[in-house]
Amino acid sequence: MINKEEFRRKVIITAGAIFSRYGFKKTTMDEIAKGLKMGKSSIYYYFESKEEIFEAVVLHEANILRNELTTAIKSVESPVEKLKNYVFVRMKTFEKLSNYYNAIFDKNLDHFDFVENIRSRYDLEELAIIRLILYHGARKKVFSVSNSEYTALAIQTSLKGLEVPLFWQKKEVNIEDRLNAILDVLFHGILKK
Amino acid sequence: MINKEEFRRKVIITAGAIFSRYGFKKTTMDEIAKGLKMGKSSIYYYFESKEEIFEAVVLHEANILRNELTTAIKSVESPVEKLKNYVFVRMKTFEKLSNYYNAIFDKNLDHFDFVENIRSRYDLEELAIIRLILYHGARKKVFSVSNSEYTALAIQTSLKGLEVPLFWQKKEVNIEDRLNAILDVLFHGILKK
DNA sequence: GACTTATCGACCAATTTATTCGAAAATTTT
DNA sequence: AAAATTTTCGAATAAATTGGTCGATAAGTC
């Protein structure tokens, strides 16, 4: 192995896949070790505990989400497109990051305080991004937003509402449709007539 | 509850769903009990052990497979269609019966001798069905089969070959395509010119 | 060949978990 | 409604699992 960081990344990928299939509790260190083709005890040379691995995995997924989102809104110009992209990419990516949303929603995991840390940090970041989009939209006279902070919060809240069923029922029944509906309401309430 | 059989069926359905998600080992009696909204110890009034539940689940799935297959070949007349139906329905149904194929393929489970019993019994039944189709096809002068026993075995073997990836990689990449290819080879080697 | 880095097997303590058991509900029979 | 039976359950337990430790040892570097 070249260096520790390199190997830690490998652990995160491997463990992430297993966690995402069986969840934190049902995943054993032995399985992770097997996945890495290593002795179980070797993992402890790189990570303090199973929980630390999970934390790294969740953080990793949170970073993926952030990256996908920032590139998604950079890829277009108009505020409408930015917001659309943001919302869509958010849901699409979210579906894949099962460890992230399990960490957030699973009651058996909420005693990990790192979960709350990551979540609240990313909530704030997200809010800032949405506010920025709204702000630019308002500047370009495409949106009419009286209070960007509360509007951003409203948007964020409705997006959160869409996350819930991801956890409760894996079936992606009609997320996309419901997303479109929300977007529709959002724009027609927000667009300058 | 009306009677024990009724309740056993309920257990089989509930436990089957959990087993199919987490596998035999990772599924706990507590989870099954929770799924049934019952005390854990109550289950033992109906089943001797976790293993017996799993056996019942696997048997249940094996029966589903058999039923689907017999109705599938009854639904058409021509031997070609029968064979096509048989092969397709077999694969389609097999994908859903994860406990059945896990029982067959998972090395951590092969110490359960009931698995071997069920498997060998159904192998024989399957062979008989295939032979029957071949036999009727030969009678109607649609197939030309020199030795129906060995031909049936050959067909069964190639079907088994398609099962393997189901276990190793959940992704149903190209099962259908490969199935078509096999069918193509099969018919053009078997059809009377 | 000393010194550091990385891997591992054996082991342990704590937790989990399948199963048991006696007793209490719930239901049926008398 | 008492007695008998069936069904449910919580508490207890014995066995297995599992996260984590530690000393040894291999692999690599100076």
Side-chain angles (χ1 to χ4, degrees):
Chain A
M1 232 43 64
I2 301 173
N3 60 13
K4 285 199 179 187
E5 267 320 304
E6 186 79 20
F7 189 76
R8 276 177 67 100
R9 227 168 295 151
K10 216 175 147 182
V11 174
I12 288 170
I13 299 303
T14 306
I18 306 177
F19 279 137
S20 99
R21 167 140 187 211
Y22 294 117
F24 175 78
K25 201 181 169 200
K26 280 183 191 289
T27 296
T28 71
M29 292 297 285
D30 264 316
E31 285 168 322
I32 297 175
K34 216 170 195 176
L36 292 164
K37 296 177 208 308
M38 280 196 105
K40 173 176 55 162
S41 41
S42 304
I43 301 177
Y44 286 89
Y45 187 68
Y46 301 93
F47 287 89
E48 288 240 322
S49 63
K50 179 180 164 187
E51 184 181 327
E52 200 196 281
I53 299 178
F54 187 64
E55 178 174 349
V57 167
V58 173
L59 194 63
H60 176 69
E61 293 194 355
N63 283 331
I64 290 179
L65 182 59
R66 185 194 0 216
N67 289 342
E68 297 264 336
L69 287 177
T70 48
T71 58
I73 58 175
K74 272 184 195 156
S75 74
V76 289
E77 257 308 304
S78 87
V80 173
E81 287 303 314
K82 271 187 201 295
L83 202 49
K84 255 190 192 168
N85 261 13
Y86 183 84
V87 168
F88 264 100
V89 170
R90 187 181 190 279
M91 287 312 297
K92 273 277 165 63
T93 312
F94 211 78
E95 283 185 82
K96 290 182 235 155
L97 309 181
S98 57
N99 291 306
Y100 184 51
Y101 67 73
N102 271 322
I104 292 177
F105 289 114
D106 195 328
K107 284 208 172 170
N108 298 316
L109 297 174
D110 65 1
H111 58 89
F112 292 155
D113 29 357
F114 78 84
V115 169
E116 183 52 26
N117 289 338
I118 294 177
R119 203 186 53 72
S120 63
R121 178 145 51 90
Y122 275 82
D123 268 9
L124 285 178
E125 279 188 29
E126 165 159 84
L127 215 55
I129 294 176
I130 298 177
R131 279 187 74 174
L132 209 63
I133 299 178
L134 290 181
Y135 177 73
H136 280 130
R139 267 207 133 179
K140 292 191 177 177
K141 316 259 189 210
V142 192
F143 296 157
S144 76
V145 183
S146 56
N147 183 324
S148 75
E149 182 180 352
Y150 284 110
T151 308
L153 255 172
I155 294 176
Q156 191 183 39
T157 305
S158 64
L159 289 180
K160 273 189 205 304
L162 278 177
E163 289 167 9
V164 180
L166 278 185
F167 175 67
W168 287 112
Q169 33 165 356
K170 289 280 189 184
K171 315 290 163 206
E172 335 102 48
V173 264
N174 45 6
I175 296 279
E176 208 142 324
D177 291 344
R178 292 174 60 184
L179 202 54
N180 268 317
I182 289 182
L183 273 177
D184 194 52
V185 171
L186 179 64
F187 283 132
H188 290 91
I190 213 176
L191 274 177
K192 209 164 209 172
K193 304 276 164 47
Chain B
M1 231 41 65
I2 303 172
N3 59 14
K4 286 200 180 185
E5 266 321 303
E6 186 76 21
F7 189 76
R8 276 176 66 101
R9 227 167 296 152
K10 218 176 145 180
V11 174
I12 289 170
I13 298 302
T14 305
I18 305 177
F19 279 138
S20 100
R21 167 138 187 214
Y22 294 118
F24 175 78
K25 201 182 171 199
K26 279 183 192 290
T27 296
T28 71
M29 292 298 284
D30 262 318
E31 285 169 322
I32 297 175
K34 214 170 197 178
L36 292 164
K37 297 177 208 308
M38 280 196 105
K40 175 173 53 164
S41 41
S42 304
I43 301 176
Y44 286 88
Y45 186 68
Y46 300 94
F47 287 90
E48 288 239 321
S49 65
K50 180 179 163 188
E51 185 180 326
E52 200 197 280
I53 300 178
F54 187 65
E55 178 174 349
V57 166
V58 173
L59 194 62
H60 176 69
E61 293 194 354
N63 283 331
I64 290 179
L65 182 59
R66 179 184 17 204
N67 288 343
E68 297 265 338
L69 287 177
T70 49
T71 58
I73 57 175
K74 271 184 194 158
S75 73
V76 287
E77 256 308 304
S78 89
V80 172
E81 288 301 315
K82 271 187 202 292
L83 201 49
K84 257 190 191 168
N85 261 11
Y86 182 85
V87 167
F88 264 101
V89 171
R90 185 180 190 277
M91 287 311 297
K92 273 277 165 64
T93 311
F94 211 79
E95 282 186 83
K96 291 182 236 158
L97 308 181
S98 58
N99 292 306
Y100 183 51
Y101 69 71
N102 271 323
I104 292 177
F105 288 115
D106 194 329
K107 284 209 172 170
N108 298 316
L109 297 173
D110 65 1
H111 58 90
F112 293 154
D113 30 358
F114 77 84
V115 170
E116 183 52 27
N117 288 338
I118 293 177
R119 204 186 53 72
S120 64
R121 178 146 50 89
Y122 276 81
D123 268 9
L124 285 177
E125 278 187 28
E126 166 160 81
L127 214 56
I129 294 176
I130 299 178
R131 281 188 73 175
L132 209 61
I133 298 177
L134 291 181
Y135 177 74
H136 281 128
R139 267 207 133 182
K140 290 190 179 179
K141 315 261 187 206
V142 191
F143 295 156
S144 77
V145 181
S146 56
N147 183 325
S148 75
E149 183 181 352
Y150 284 109
T151 307
L153 255 171
I155 294 174
Q156 191 184 38
T157 304
S158 63
L159 289 179
K160 273 190 207 302
L162 278 177
E163 288 167 9
V164 179
L166 277 184
F167 175 67
W168 287 112
Q169 33 165 356
K170 289 280 188 184
K171 316 289 163 208
E172 334 103 48
V173 265
N174 47 5
I175 296 281
E176 207 142 325
D177 290 343
R178 292 175 60 184
L179 202 53
N180 268 317
I182 290 181
L183 273 176
D184 195 52
V185 171
L186 179 65
F187 283 132
H188 290 92
I190 214 178
L191 275 176
K192 209 164 208 170
K193 304 274 163 48

